Amino acid sequence: MNYISDELLLESYSKAKKLNLNPEFILLIENELRKRALTNQVKISS
């Protein structure tokens, strides 16, 4: 996921949650958000 901008990653996460996409896909995005230290910009459920 290094080719996706932070902004696009955040938008993708938001849309994936809104559309109730596959939880494993959402988890992949959440892990990348944590890796990039962007979790303070979104609400991630534990």
Side-chain angles (χ1 to χ4, degrees):
M1 285 202 203
N2 291 335
Y3 302 112
I4 298 175
S5 69
D6 291 351
E7 183 179 342
L8 183 56
L9 185 65
L10 289 162
E11 184 179 330
S12 299
Y13 178 73
S14 177
K15 286 187 179 183
K17 293 289 282 186
K18 186 182 291 187
L19 296 171
N20 277 333
L21 296 186
N22 184 307
E24 290 181 21
F25 176 68
I26 293 173
L27 185 60
L28 284 173
I29 298 174
E30 288 176 349
N31 288 339
E32 186 64 21
L33 289 169
R34 286 185 186 95
K35 181 177 162 188
R36 297 186 191 193
L38 298 173
T39 55
N40 62 332
Q41 297 184 39
V42 292
K43 185 176 182 181
I44 294 180
S45 352
S46 301

